[in-house]
Amino acid sequence: MLWLVYIAPMLLIWWWYARRRARKERHSRDVLHAAKASGLAEPVSLHPVIDPRQCVGCGACVAACPEQPHHHVLGLIEGKAQLVSPTDCIGHGACRTACPVGAITLVFGSEARGVDIPVLSPNFETNVPGLFIAGELGGMGLIRNALTQGRQAIEAIAKRRSRRPEVLDVAIVGAGPAGFSASLSCMALGLKYVTLEQESLGGCVFQYPRGKLVMTQPAELPIVGKVRLTQTSKEELLEFWQQIERKTGVKIRYRERVEKIERDGEEFVVHTTKGRHRAASVLLAIGRRGTPRKLEVPGEDLPKVVYRLIDPEQYTGRRVLVVGGGDSALEAAASIAEQPRARVALSYRGDAFGRAKPRNRERVEQARAGGRLDLVLESQVNRIEPESVTLVQKGRELEMPNDTVIVSAGGVLPSEFLRSIGVAIETKFGTA
Ligand SMILES: Cc1cc2nc3c(=O)[nH]c(=O)nc-3n(C[C@H](O)[C@H](O)[C@H](O)COP(=O)(O)OP(=O)(O)OC[C@H]3O[C@@H](n4cnc5c(N)ncnc54)[C@H](O)[C@@H]3O)c2cc1C
Ligand code: SF4
């Protein structure tokens, strides 16, 4: 009987472990099923591919994923690791490092969905001489990579300064981590530069949900030196960058969108929403999210007009017009309608939301039925004023009181922009 004293606790531990693993596996299956059902089964960019023949199911990759506290990116199903929520993967690559048997490869795109990656030389120059790319647009995501590449690209650009005093050495497009670090490098190296940003400092980081935990690695920032932040929040990181901006006096031209880039002899002419800039080199640090499509109506330049929903809670008690008929417009309208005292109108030029997922259509319908959302189909925005907005519906003008307009009318992908400048692009279907 003495053996029972030893065996019983072991059996108990084994039973507890098996139950826990089965529960996690059920959850992983549910997450994978939900991702497939909502059409979110294709990863956006760099992501892991797990070889099931090599995987021994130890779960080290699952535990190592820095996104795991918020998103269930990887999970174990039938004892093998799988990417269960592909669109939440941002390519940290910690899973590959953690895997003890080398079962993980990091790749771009998949068989079903190719990812366009510009062809770059080791110093970040494209096939168009003088046109450089840094950060996520070049294929490598993550803040640290973007900060490092922004600095390295400017070091290469510094070797081809402008010979004419009235021409800039470089025009930097984008003030996300790559463009910010590049701008600081220009200051450090004494280059004549302009940084053009269509929105605000921080790029993708500015768009993270409120309070998002940001995982990064120490990086070298020009002028500032080694930055040892590893785990921080979106707000702290932005505040840190804003402090650097104030202290160094680095100049960034906000709300100035680059619309066209042309070559003129050895130089570039960069056309923006506010004018033109002539430079010997151009550094594109525009990330991969593209440029939101504009409505092109009077009043669109008012600060109350935005092109993405970041945090529904900020619209508590506000009068909001959402414009668009795709999933992001419907999601934005439905989640704002859930906020206390918020009043939402959803304007779409079509007569039905044919392109949107059933789940989002249901949410909008529920909000409408509950009197929390007004649907204004077959309508277009005519003009925007500080306190109101005017729509035209079947030839009739509708003026409504308004605090914020969220335009979700799709966007122009960076690939189209790159092709228009003549940059060579390679489409990757699941290769490194
Ligand atoms: C939800 C989410 C969570 C993430 N979490 C992490 C994390 O925890 N840790 C981590 O390391 N990375 C994380 N990432 C990835 C990281 O944010 C990106 O890899 C990084 O921001 C890329 O920097 P970038 O400067 O190349 O591009 P971006 O940050 O995308 O910045 C590009 C900038 O260019 C501007 N721009 C674009 N087109 C134009 C134009 N035509 N004219 C003027 N300006 C233009 C944009 O407005 C933007 O400000 C996350 C990404 C997402 C989406
Ligand atoms: S770390 Fe490697 S072996 Fe372990 S579950 Fe993940 S892929 Fe499989």
Side-chain angles (χ1 to χ4, degrees), residues 25 28-29 31-33 36 41 47-52 55 57-59 61-62 65 68 72-86 89 95 103-104:
E25 174 160 341
S28 297
R29 281 183 194 279
V31 173
L32 182 62
H33 181 73
K36 285 185 177 160
H47 64 278
V49 167
I50 300 135
D51 181 349
C55 174
C58 65
C61 54
V62 181
C65 176
Q68 207 65 11
H72 194 64
V73 179
L74 287 156
L76 289 178
I77 296 180
E78 290 174 8
K80 305 284 176 188
Q82 276 197 42
L83 192 59
V84 292
S85 184
C89 176
C95 51
I104 297 183

PDB file of all heavy atoms in Angstrom, residues 25 28-29 31-33 36 41 47-52 55 57-59 61-62 65 68 72-86 89 95 103-104:
ATOM      1  N   GLU A  25      -6.241  23.280 -25.446  1.00  0.00           N
ATOM      2  CA  GLU A  25      -6.401  22.832 -26.835  1.00  0.00           C
ATOM      3  C   GLU A  25      -7.792  23.208 -27.354  1.00  0.00           C
ATOM      4  O   GLU A  25      -7.939  23.653 -28.492  1.00  0.00           O
ATOM      5  CB  GLU A  25      -6.158  21.321 -26.948  1.00  0.00           C
ATOM      6  CG  GLU A  25      -6.457  20.857 -28.349  1.00  0.00           C
ATOM      7  CD  GLU A  25      -5.838  19.538 -28.755  1.00  0.00           C
ATOM      8  OE1 GLU A  25      -4.874  19.094 -28.103  1.00  0.00           O
ATOM      9  OE2 GLU A  25      -6.328  18.954 -29.737  1.00  0.00           O
ATOM     10  N   SER A  28      -7.712  26.786 -28.218  1.00  0.00           N
ATOM     11  CA  SER A  28      -6.968  27.007 -29.467  1.00  0.00           C
ATOM     12  C   SER A  28      -7.830  26.664 -30.669  1.00  0.00           C
ATOM     13  O   SER A  28      -7.842  27.384 -31.668  1.00  0.00           O
ATOM     14  CB  SER A  28      -5.708  26.141 -29.512  1.00  0.00           C
ATOM     15  OG  SER A  28      -4.847  26.515 -28.482  1.00  0.00           O
ATOM     16  N   ARG A  29      -8.567  25.547 -30.589  1.00  0.00           N
ATOM     17  CA  ARG A  29      -9.455  25.162 -31.701  1.00  0.00           C
ATOM     18  C   ARG A  29     -10.511  26.232 -31.933  1.00  0.00           C
ATOM     19  O   ARG A  29     -10.819  26.586 -33.070  1.00  0.00           O
ATOM     20  CB  ARG A  29     -10.172  23.844 -31.368  1.00  0.00           C
ATOM     21  CG  ARG A  29      -9.340  22.615 -31.571  1.00  0.00           C
ATOM     22  CD  ARG A  29     -10.213  21.397 -31.280  1.00  0.00           C
ATOM     23  NE  ARG A  29      -9.393  20.217 -31.130  1.00  0.00           N
ATOM     24  CZ  ARG A  29      -8.918  19.507 -32.153  1.00  0.00           C
ATOM     25  NH1 ARG A  29      -9.216  19.873 -33.372  1.00  0.00           N
ATOM     26  NH2 ARG A  29      -8.153  18.462 -31.949  1.00  0.00           N
ATOM     27  N   VAL A  31     -10.337  29.427 -31.216  1.00  0.00           N
ATOM     28  CA  VAL A  31      -9.727  30.639 -31.783  1.00  0.00           C
ATOM     29  C   VAL A  31      -9.480  30.429 -33.284  1.00  0.00           C
ATOM     30  O   VAL A  31      -9.797  31.285 -34.115  1.00  0.00           O
ATOM     31  CB  VAL A  31      -8.411  30.991 -31.044  1.00  0.00           C
ATOM     32  CG1 VAL A  31      -7.693  32.146 -31.724  1.00  0.00           C
ATOM     33  CG2 VAL A  31      -8.681  31.329 -29.589  1.00  0.00           C
ATOM     34  N   LEU A  32      -8.950  29.258 -33.644  1.00  0.00           N
ATOM     35  CA  LEU A  32      -8.664  28.955 -35.053  1.00  0.00           C
ATOM     36  C   LEU A  32      -9.955  28.948 -35.868  1.00  0.00           C
ATOM     37  O   LEU A  32     -10.034  29.518 -36.971  1.00  0.00           O
ATOM     38  CB  LEU A  32      -7.963  27.590 -35.155  1.00  0.00           C
ATOM     39  CG  LEU A  32      -7.553  27.134 -36.542  1.00  0.00           C
ATOM     40  CD1 LEU A  32      -6.553  28.096 -37.149  1.00  0.00           C
ATOM     41  CD2 LEU A  32      -6.927  25.741 -36.495  1.00  0.00           C
ATOM     42  N   HIS A  33     -10.990  28.336 -35.296  1.00  0.00           N
ATOM     43  CA  HIS A  33     -12.278  28.259 -35.983  1.00  0.00           C
ATOM     44  C   HIS A  33     -12.832  29.672 -36.224  1.00  0.00           C
ATOM     45  O   HIS A  33     -13.271  29.998 -37.327  1.00  0.00           O
ATOM     46  CB  HIS A  33     -13.240  27.435 -35.130  1.00  0.00           C
ATOM     47  CG  HIS A  33     -14.581  27.287 -35.751  1.00  0.00           C
ATOM     48  ND1 HIS A  33     -14.802  26.476 -36.829  1.00  0.00           N
ATOM     49  CD2 HIS A  33     -15.769  27.885 -35.467  1.00  0.00           C
ATOM     50  CE1 HIS A  33     -16.065  26.573 -37.190  1.00  0.00           C
ATOM     51  NE2 HIS A  33     -16.681  27.432 -36.376  1.00  0.00           N
ATOM     52  N   LYS A  36     -10.964  31.499 -38.959  1.00  0.00           N
ATOM     53  CA  LYS A  36     -11.339  31.042 -40.313  1.00  0.00           C
ATOM     54  C   LYS A  36     -12.720  31.559 -40.673  1.00  0.00           C
ATOM     55  O   LYS A  36     -12.939  32.047 -41.788  1.00  0.00           O
ATOM     56  CB  LYS A  36     -11.312  29.517 -40.371  1.00  0.00           C
ATOM     57  CG  LYS A  36      -9.898  28.967 -40.430  1.00  0.00           C
ATOM     58  CD  LYS A  36      -9.929  27.473 -40.600  1.00  0.00           C
ATOM     59  CE  LYS A  36      -8.517  26.925 -40.732  1.00  0.00           C
ATOM     60  NZ  LYS A  36      -8.455  25.493 -40.427  1.00  0.00           N
ATOM     61  N   ALA A  41      -7.776  34.232 -41.694  1.00  0.00           N
ATOM     62  CA  ALA A  41      -6.897  33.070 -41.610  1.00  0.00           C
ATOM     63  C   ALA A  41      -5.545  33.292 -42.278  1.00  0.00           C
ATOM     64  O   ALA A  41      -4.698  32.411 -42.253  1.00  0.00           O
ATOM     65  CB  ALA A  41      -7.596  31.865 -42.223  1.00  0.00           C
ATOM     66  N   HIS A  47       5.666  35.690 -40.498  1.00  0.00           N
ATOM     67  CA  HIS A  47       4.992  34.839 -39.507  1.00  0.00           C
ATOM     68  C   HIS A  47       5.639  33.452 -39.473  1.00  0.00           C
ATOM     69  O   HIS A  47       6.337  33.070 -40.416  1.00  0.00           O
ATOM     70  CB  HIS A  47       3.500  34.727 -39.858  1.00  0.00           C
ATOM     71  CG  HIS A  47       3.273  34.043 -41.173  1.00  0.00           C
ATOM     72  ND1 HIS A  47       3.371  34.702 -42.365  1.00  0.00           N
ATOM     73  CD2 HIS A  47       2.993  32.752 -41.483  1.00  0.00           C
ATOM     74  CE1 HIS A  47       3.156  33.859 -43.352  1.00  0.00           C
ATOM     75  NE2 HIS A  47       2.933  32.664 -42.844  1.00  0.00           N
ATOM     76  N   PRO A  48       5.387  32.682 -38.414  1.00  0.00           N
ATOM     77  CA  PRO A  48       6.010  31.360 -38.339  1.00  0.00           C
ATOM     78  C   PRO A  48       5.248  30.301 -39.127  1.00  0.00           C
ATOM     79  O   PRO A  48       4.024  30.334 -39.198  1.00  0.00           O
ATOM     80  CB  PRO A  48       5.930  31.036 -36.833  1.00  0.00           C
ATOM     81  CG  PRO A  48       4.756  31.793 -36.334  1.00  0.00           C
ATOM     82  CD  PRO A  48       4.640  33.025 -37.196  1.00  0.00           C
ATOM     83  N   VAL A  49       6.007  29.363 -39.705  1.00  0.00           N
ATOM     84  CA  VAL A  49       5.417  28.145 -40.266  1.00  0.00           C
ATOM     85  C   VAL A  49       6.020  27.004 -39.458  1.00  0.00           C
ATOM     86  O   VAL A  49       7.236  26.943 -39.281  1.00  0.00           O
ATOM     87  CB  VAL A  49       5.764  28.007 -41.773  1.00  0.00           C
ATOM     88  CG1 VAL A  49       5.431  26.616 -42.266  1.00  0.00           C
ATOM     89  CG2 VAL A  49       4.991  29.034 -42.581  1.00  0.00           C
ATOM     90  N   ILE A  50       5.155  26.145 -38.928  1.00  0.00           N
ATOM     91  CA  ILE A  50       5.637  25.081 -38.037  1.00  0.00           C
ATOM     92  C   ILE A  50       5.600  23.749 -38.762  1.00  0.00           C
ATOM     93  O   ILE A  50       4.570  23.371 -39.327  1.00  0.00           O
ATOM     94  CB  ILE A  50       4.774  25.031 -36.755  1.00  0.00           C
ATOM     95  CG1 ILE A  50       4.867  26.390 -36.047  1.00  0.00           C
ATOM     96  CG2 ILE A  50       5.219  23.914 -35.823  1.00  0.00           C
ATOM     97  CD1 ILE A  50       3.592  26.934 -35.577  1.00  0.00           C
ATOM     98  N   ASP A  51       6.728  23.063 -38.758  1.00  0.00           N
ATOM     99  CA  ASP A  51       6.805  21.761 -39.417  1.00  0.00           C
ATOM    100  C   ASP A  51       6.266  20.703 -38.443  1.00  0.00           C
ATOM    101  O   ASP A  51       6.920  20.399 -37.436  1.00  0.00           O
ATOM    102  CB  ASP A  51       8.272  21.465 -39.781  1.00  0.00           C
ATOM    103  CG  ASP A  51       8.422  20.133 -40.493  1.00  0.00           C
ATOM    104  OD1 ASP A  51       7.445  19.349 -40.514  1.00  0.00           O
ATOM    105  OD2 ASP A  51       9.521  19.872 -41.030  1.00  0.00           O
ATOM    106  N   PRO A  52       5.083  20.118 -38.725  1.00  0.00           N
ATOM    107  CA  PRO A  52       4.489  19.177 -37.760  1.00  0.00           C
ATOM    108  C   PRO A  52       5.327  17.915 -37.570  1.00  0.00           C
ATOM    109  O   PRO A  52       5.230  17.261 -36.525  1.00  0.00           O
ATOM    110  CB  PRO A  52       3.124  18.845 -38.376  1.00  0.00           C
ATOM    111  CG  PRO A  52       3.189  19.267 -39.794  1.00  0.00           C
ATOM    112  CD  PRO A  52       4.260  20.289 -39.918  1.00  0.00           C
ATOM    113  N   CYS A  55       7.882  19.110 -34.873  1.00  0.00           N
ATOM    114  CA  CYS A  55       7.342  19.651 -33.618  1.00  0.00           C
ATOM    115  C   CYS A  55       7.100  18.532 -32.614  1.00  0.00           C
ATOM    116  O   CYS A  55       6.459  17.530 -32.938  1.00  0.00           O
ATOM    117  CB  CYS A  55       6.035  20.392 -33.915  1.00  0.00           C
ATOM    118  SG  CYS A  55       5.195  20.945 -32.441  1.00  0.00           S
ATOM    119  N   GLY A  57       5.705  19.289 -29.637  1.00  0.00           N
ATOM    120  CA  GLY A  57       4.576  19.727 -28.815  1.00  0.00           C
ATOM    121  C   GLY A  57       4.934  20.197 -27.428  1.00  0.00           C
ATOM    122  O   GLY A  57       4.114  20.120 -26.502  1.00  0.00           O
ATOM    123  N   CYS A  58       6.147  20.739 -27.257  1.00  0.00           N
ATOM    124  CA  CYS A  58       6.562  21.168 -25.912  1.00  0.00           C
ATOM    125  C   CYS A  58       5.874  22.469 -25.481  1.00  0.00           C
ATOM    126  O   CYS A  58       5.806  22.785 -24.302  1.00  0.00           O
ATOM    127  CB  CYS A  58       8.072  21.350 -25.865  1.00  0.00           C
ATOM    128  SG  CYS A  58       8.620  22.697 -26.924  1.00  0.00           S
ATOM    129  N   GLY A  59       5.379  23.250 -26.436  1.00  0.00           N
ATOM    130  CA  GLY A  59       4.655  24.487 -26.102  1.00  0.00           C
ATOM    131  C   GLY A  59       5.559  25.678 -25.809  1.00  0.00           C
ATOM    132  O   GLY A  59       5.078  26.746 -25.423  1.00  0.00           O
ATOM    133  N   CYS A  61       7.094  27.603 -27.817  1.00  0.00           N
ATOM    134  CA  CYS A  61       6.804  28.723 -28.729  1.00  0.00           C
ATOM    135  C   CYS A  61       5.567  29.490 -28.258  1.00  0.00           C
ATOM    136  O   CYS A  61       5.527  30.713 -28.321  1.00  0.00           O
ATOM    137  CB  CYS A  61       6.597  28.206 -30.155  1.00  0.00           C
ATOM    138  SG  CYS A  61       5.357  26.911 -30.276  1.00  0.00           S
ATOM    139  N   VAL A  62       4.567  28.741 -27.786  1.00  0.00           N
ATOM    140  CA  VAL A  62       3.322  29.371 -27.327  1.00  0.00           C
ATOM    141  C   VAL A  62       3.638  30.303 -26.154  1.00  0.00           C
ATOM    142  O   VAL A  62       3.200  31.449 -26.110  1.00  0.00           O
ATOM    143  CB  VAL A  62       2.287  28.293 -26.902  1.00  0.00           C
ATOM    144  CG1 VAL A  62       0.991  28.938 -26.463  1.00  0.00           C
ATOM    145  CG2 VAL A  62       2.053  27.311 -28.048  1.00  0.00           C
ATOM    146  N   CYS A  65       5.643  33.656 -27.120  1.00  0.00           N
ATOM    147  CA  CYS A  65       5.067  34.715 -27.971  1.00  0.00           C
ATOM    148  C   CYS A  65       4.721  35.946 -27.139  1.00  0.00           C
ATOM    149  O   CYS A  65       3.868  35.880 -26.249  1.00  0.00           O
ATOM    150  CB  CYS A  65       3.822  34.195 -28.683  1.00  0.00           C
ATOM    151  SG  CYS A  65       3.029  35.495 -29.657  1.00  0.00           S
ATOM    152  N   GLN A  68       1.085  36.957 -26.570  1.00  0.00           N
ATOM    153  CA  GLN A  68       0.211  35.980 -25.921  1.00  0.00           C
ATOM    154  C   GLN A  68      -0.696  36.569 -24.822  1.00  0.00           C
ATOM    155  O   GLN A  68      -1.855  36.175 -24.739  1.00  0.00           O
ATOM    156  CB  GLN A  68       1.055  34.820 -25.371  1.00  0.00           C
ATOM    157  CG  GLN A  68       0.323  33.507 -25.267  1.00  0.00           C
ATOM    158  CD  GLN A  68      -0.103  32.911 -26.631  1.00  0.00           C
ATOM    159  OE1 GLN A  68       0.319  33.369 -27.673  1.00  0.00           O
ATOM    160  NE2 GLN A  68      -0.950  31.920 -26.602  1.00  0.00           N
ATOM    161  N   HIS A  72      -4.256  35.130 -28.586  1.00  0.00           N
ATOM    162  CA  HIS A  72      -3.845  33.725 -28.584  1.00  0.00           C
ATOM    163  C   HIS A  72      -3.325  33.429 -29.988  1.00  0.00           C
ATOM    164  O   HIS A  72      -4.035  32.883 -30.828  1.00  0.00           O
ATOM    165  CB  HIS A  72      -5.076  32.889 -28.234  1.00  0.00           C
ATOM    166  CG  HIS A  72      -4.767  31.495 -27.875  1.00  0.00           C
ATOM    167  ND1 HIS A  72      -4.026  31.154 -26.788  1.00  0.00           N
ATOM    168  CD2 HIS A  72      -5.103  30.323 -28.472  1.00  0.00           C
ATOM    169  CE1 HIS A  72      -3.914  29.836 -26.723  1.00  0.00           C
ATOM    170  NE2 HIS A  72      -4.553  29.315 -27.734  1.00  0.00           N
ATOM    171  N   VAL A  73      -2.087  33.842 -30.266  1.00  0.00           N
ATOM    172  CA  VAL A  73      -1.559  33.756 -31.627  1.00  0.00           C
ATOM    173  C   VAL A  73      -1.220  32.314 -31.996  1.00  0.00           C
ATOM    174  O   VAL A  73      -1.595  31.806 -33.045  1.00  0.00           O
ATOM    175  CB  VAL A  73      -0.309  34.662 -31.781  1.00  0.00           C
ATOM    176  CG1 VAL A  73       0.250  34.563 -33.180  1.00  0.00           C
ATOM    177  CG2 VAL A  73      -0.650  36.103 -31.461  1.00  0.00           C
ATOM    178  N   LEU A  74      -0.491  31.645 -31.079  1.00  0.00           N
ATOM    179  CA  LEU A  74      -0.113  30.248 -31.305  1.00  0.00           C
ATOM    180  C   LEU A  74      -0.835  29.352 -30.306  1.00  0.00           C
ATOM    181  O   LEU A  74      -1.135  29.784 -29.189  1.00  0.00           O
ATOM    182  CB  LEU A  74       1.392  30.075 -31.080  1.00  0.00           C
ATOM    183  CG  LEU A  74       2.325  30.640 -32.142  1.00  0.00           C
ATOM    184  CD1 LEU A  74       3.690  30.916 -31.546  1.00  0.00           C
ATOM    185  CD2 LEU A  74       2.456  29.689 -33.314  1.00  0.00           C
ATOM    186  N   GLY A  75      -1.099  28.117 -30.712  1.00  0.00           N
ATOM    187  CA  GLY A  75      -1.727  27.184 -29.780  1.00  0.00           C
ATOM    188  C   GLY A  75      -1.339  25.769 -30.139  1.00  0.00           C
ATOM    189  O   GLY A  75      -0.817  25.517 -31.237  1.00  0.00           O
ATOM    190  N   LEU A  76      -1.561  24.827 -29.207  1.00  0.00           N
ATOM    191  CA  LEU A  76      -1.267  23.419 -29.489  1.00  0.00           C
ATOM    192  C   LEU A  76      -2.566  22.710 -29.847  1.00  0.00           C
ATOM    193  O   LEU A  76      -3.541  22.790 -29.106  1.00  0.00           O
ATOM    194  CB  LEU A  76      -0.639  22.739 -28.271  1.00  0.00           C
ATOM    195  CG  LEU A  76       0.790  23.143 -27.902  1.00  0.00           C
ATOM    196  CD1 LEU A  76       1.237  22.424 -26.642  1.00  0.00           C
ATOM    197  CD2 LEU A  76       1.756  22.835 -29.041  1.00  0.00           C
ATOM    198  N   ILE A  77      -2.565  22.042 -30.992  1.00  0.00           N
ATOM    199  CA  ILE A  77      -3.730  21.256 -31.394  1.00  0.00           C
ATOM    200  C   ILE A  77      -3.228  19.860 -31.777  1.00  0.00           C
ATOM    201  O   ILE A  77      -2.302  19.739 -32.582  1.00  0.00           O
ATOM    202  CB  ILE A  77      -4.481  21.916 -32.574  1.00  0.00           C
ATOM    203  CG1 ILE A  77      -5.038  23.276 -32.119  1.00  0.00           C
ATOM    204  CG2 ILE A  77      -5.599  21.003 -33.090  1.00  0.00           C
ATOM    205  CD1 ILE A  77      -5.797  24.059 -33.173  1.00  0.00           C
ATOM    206  N   GLU A  78      -3.804  18.856 -31.139  1.00  0.00           N
ATOM    207  CA  GLU A  78      -3.351  17.460 -31.298  1.00  0.00           C
ATOM    208  C   GLU A  78      -1.854  17.339 -31.079  1.00  0.00           C
ATOM    209  O   GLU A  78      -1.133  16.704 -31.851  1.00  0.00           O
ATOM    210  CB  GLU A  78      -3.758  16.909 -32.673  1.00  0.00           C
ATOM    211  CG  GLU A  78      -5.252  16.702 -32.754  1.00  0.00           C
ATOM    212  CD  GLU A  78      -5.743  16.291 -34.118  1.00  0.00           C
ATOM    213  OE1 GLU A  78      -4.903  16.015 -35.000  1.00  0.00           O
ATOM    214  OE2 GLU A  78      -6.956  16.271 -34.305  1.00  0.00           O
ATOM    215  N   GLY A  79      -1.369  18.043 -30.079  1.00  0.00           N
ATOM    216  CA  GLY A  79       0.030  17.916 -29.680  1.00  0.00           C
ATOM    217  C   GLY A  79       1.015  18.619 -30.593  1.00  0.00           C
ATOM    218  O   GLY A  79       2.231  18.428 -30.465  1.00  0.00           O
ATOM    219  N   LYS A  80       0.528  19.432 -31.537  1.00  0.00           N
ATOM    220  CA  LYS A  80       1.440  20.158 -32.433  1.00  0.00           C
ATOM    221  C   LYS A  80       1.093  21.642 -32.395  1.00  0.00           C
ATOM    222  O   LYS A  80      -0.088  22.004 -32.334  1.00  0.00           O
ATOM    223  CB  LYS A  80       1.280  19.675 -33.890  1.00  0.00           C
ATOM    224  CG  LYS A  80       1.461  18.184 -34.077  1.00  0.00           C
ATOM    225  CD  LYS A  80       2.907  17.777 -34.022  1.00  0.00           C
ATOM    226  CE  LYS A  80       3.050  16.262 -34.112  1.00  0.00           C
ATOM    227  NZ  LYS A  80       4.407  15.800 -33.882  1.00  0.00           N
ATOM    228  N   ALA A  81       2.147  22.472 -32.499  1.00  0.00           N
ATOM    229  CA  ALA A  81       1.885  23.916 -32.479  1.00  0.00           C
ATOM    230  C   ALA A  81       1.269  24.363 -33.801  1.00  0.00           C
ATOM    231  O   ALA A  81       1.596  23.830 -34.864  1.00  0.00           O
ATOM    232  CB  ALA A  81       3.195  24.652 -32.244  1.00  0.00           C
ATOM    233  N   GLN A  82       0.363  25.344 -33.712  1.00  0.00           N
ATOM    234  CA  GLN A  82      -0.262  25.920 -34.925  1.00  0.00           C
ATOM    235  C   GLN A  82      -0.446  27.409 -34.735  1.00  0.00           C
ATOM    236  O   GLN A  82      -0.658  27.870 -33.618  1.00  0.00           O
ATOM    237  CB  GLN A  82      -1.647  25.311 -35.146  1.00  0.00           C
ATOM    238  CG  GLN A  82      -1.624  24.008 -35.881  1.00  0.00           C
ATOM    239  CD  GLN A  82      -3.022  23.680 -36.432  1.00  0.00           C
ATOM    240  OE1 GLN A  82      -3.716  24.539 -36.949  1.00  0.00           O
ATOM    241  NE2 GLN A  82      -3.402  22.421 -36.317  1.00  0.00           N
ATOM    242  N   LEU A  83      -0.437  28.124 -35.856  1.00  0.00           N
ATOM    243  CA  LEU A  83      -0.744  29.557 -35.823  1.00  0.00           C
ATOM    244  C   LEU A  83      -2.268  29.651 -35.828  1.00  0.00           C
ATOM    245  O   LEU A  83      -2.895  29.478 -36.864  1.00  0.00           O
ATOM    246  CB  LEU A  83      -0.136  30.197 -37.069  1.00  0.00           C
ATOM    247  CG  LEU A  83      -0.074  31.710 -37.157  1.00  0.00           C
ATOM    248  CD1 LEU A  83       0.725  32.289 -36.006  1.00  0.00           C
ATOM    249  CD2 LEU A  83       0.551  32.129 -38.483  1.00  0.00           C
ATOM    250  N   VAL A  84      -2.867  29.913 -34.648  1.00  0.00           N
ATOM    251  CA  VAL A  84      -4.335  29.830 -34.586  1.00  0.00           C
ATOM    252  C   VAL A  84      -5.014  31.170 -34.853  1.00  0.00           C
ATOM    253  O   VAL A  84      -6.171  31.225 -35.232  1.00  0.00           O
ATOM    254  CB  VAL A  84      -4.821  29.234 -33.233  1.00  0.00           C
ATOM    255  CG1 VAL A  84      -4.437  27.769 -33.132  1.00  0.00           C
ATOM    256  CG2 VAL A  84      -4.314  30.015 -32.046  1.00  0.00           C
ATOM    257  N   SER A  85      -4.294  32.271 -34.613  1.00  0.00           N
ATOM    258  CA  SER A  85      -4.885  33.580 -34.918  1.00  0.00           C
ATOM    259  C   SER A  85      -3.911  34.354 -35.816  1.00  0.00           C
ATOM    260  O   SER A  85      -3.205  35.270 -35.374  1.00  0.00           O
ATOM    261  CB  SER A  85      -5.157  34.334 -33.620  1.00  0.00           C
ATOM    262  OG  SER A  85      -5.788  35.536 -33.905  1.00  0.00           O
ATOM    263  N   PRO A  86      -3.841  33.968 -37.093  1.00  0.00           N
ATOM    264  CA  PRO A  86      -2.779  34.483 -37.979  1.00  0.00           C
ATOM    265  C   PRO A  86      -2.701  36.005 -38.064  1.00  0.00           C
ATOM    266  O   PRO A  86      -1.611  36.564 -38.107  1.00  0.00           O
ATOM    267  CB  PRO A  86      -3.125  33.871 -39.329  1.00  0.00           C
ATOM    268  CG  PRO A  86      -3.946  32.675 -39.009  1.00  0.00           C
ATOM    269  CD  PRO A  86      -4.719  33.015 -37.777  1.00  0.00           C
ATOM    270  N   CYS A  89      -0.539  37.909 -35.522  1.00  0.00           N
ATOM    271  CA  CYS A  89       0.917  37.722 -35.495  1.00  0.00           C
ATOM    272  C   CYS A  89       1.581  38.953 -36.101  1.00  0.00           C
ATOM    273  O   CYS A  89       1.227  39.372 -37.200  1.00  0.00           O
ATOM    274  CB  CYS A  89       1.292  36.478 -36.299  1.00  0.00           C
ATOM    275  SG  CYS A  89       3.067  36.248 -36.404  1.00  0.00           S
ATOM    276  N   CYS A  95       9.090  32.926 -31.148  1.00  0.00           N
ATOM    277  CA  CYS A  95       8.735  31.500 -31.185  1.00  0.00           C
ATOM    278  C   CYS A  95       9.869  30.686 -31.819  1.00  0.00           C
ATOM    279  O   CYS A  95      10.215  29.609 -31.337  1.00  0.00           O
ATOM    280  CB  CYS A  95       7.431  31.300 -31.942  1.00  0.00           C
ATOM    281  SG  CYS A  95       7.408  32.084 -33.559  1.00  0.00           S
ATOM    282  N   ALA A 103      11.797  23.612 -35.324  1.00  0.00           N
ATOM    283  CA  ALA A 103      10.643  23.262 -36.168  1.00  0.00           C
ATOM    284  C   ALA A 103      10.006  24.490 -36.829  1.00  0.00           C
ATOM    285  O   ALA A 103       9.095  24.352 -37.636  1.00  0.00           O
ATOM    286  CB  ALA A 103       9.593  22.533 -35.328  1.00  0.00           C
ATOM    287  N   ILE A 104      10.489  25.690 -36.454  1.00  0.00           N
ATOM    288  CA  ILE A 104       9.805  26.908 -36.929  1.00  0.00           C
ATOM    289  C   ILE A 104      10.652  27.679 -37.940  1.00  0.00           C
ATOM    290  O   ILE A 104      11.836  27.919 -37.725  1.00  0.00           O
ATOM    291  CB  ILE A 104       9.458  27.818 -35.725  1.00  0.00           C
ATOM    292  CG1 ILE A 104       8.480  27.081 -34.809  1.00  0.00           C
ATOM    293  CG2 ILE A 104       8.873  29.152 -36.178  1.00  0.00           C
ATOM    294  CD1 ILE A 104       7.994  27.881 -33.630  1.00  0.00           C
TER     295      ILE A 104
END
